[in-house]
Amino acid sequence: QVQLVESGGGSVQAGGSLRLSCAASGYTGSVSFMGWFRQAPGKEREVVATIHTRDSDTYYADSVKGRFTISQDNAKNTVYLQMNSLKPEDTAMYYCAARATLTTIWDWGQGSQVTVSS
C-alpha cells in the first residue's frame, strides 16, 4: 500500500524558515514525480514545487521562486521542501504528493500545517 509520510511544518514568524520532509513507500513500480502542494482556508489546492525523480528537473510556483527549494534523496525515497523567507501568505496545509510512472494520478500525504505570523 502506497504511503507518503510527512514531517516538519509548524509555526514561525515572517522571515523565518521551515523544512518539510516526505518519505514514500509501497510503490511496486517507479515514481516519476514528487512534489508539494498547499491549500489555504477557503482556497483551492495549488502546486508549490515539483521534482522529476530521474533527472531532478524542478518546477516552482511563481509565488515561492527564490525562497523555497525542493530536493530529493532517491536512496531514501524522500523529498524535502526547504522554505526560507516565509511570509504570512504562505500559511496553509502543505501536502506531499507522488505520481507513479505512466499515470496522471497523484498520491497524497496526510498534510502538514505551516503557519507564518507577521
Side-chain angles (χ1 to χ4, degrees):
Q1 181 167 344
V2 169
Q3 278 192 311
L4 298 173
V5 179
E6 302 178 29
S7 59
S11 298
V12 66
Q13 289 192 326
S17 299
L18 287 172
R19 188 192 197 207
L20 300 177
S21 301
C22 173
S25 63
Y27 284 94
T28 56
S30 61
V31 173
S32 290
F33 290 93
M34 293 191 74
W36 294 93
F37 294 69
R38 68 186 181 187
Q39 187 168 18
K43 295 187 176 181
E44 293 187 355
R45 189 172 298 189
E46 62 178 2
V47 61
V48 175
T50 62
I51 187 166
H52 192 283
T53 59
R54 187 181 63 198
D55 59 21
S56 296
D57 188 31
T58 57
Y59 166 85
Y60 294 94
D62 287 342
S63 58
V64 306
K65 281 182 181 176
R67 301 188 297 122
F68 290 11
T69 302
I70 188 170
S71 61
Q72 62 181 344
D73 183 338
N74 285 339
K76 297 180 180 180
N77 292 324
T78 299
V79 65
Y80 307 94
L81 185 68
Q82 178 66 43
M83 304 182 288
N84 298 329
S85 302
L86 282 160
K87 304 175 181 179
E89 51 263 44
D90 294 317
T91 296
M93 185 71 75
Y94 283 70
Y95 295 92
C96 172
R99 203 175 87 187
T101 303
L102 299 180
T103 181
T104 59
I105 299 172
W106 289 92
D107 299 306
W108 300 97
Q110 77 277 14
S112 297
Q113 179 65 41
V114 171
T115 302
V116 184
S117 57
S118 56

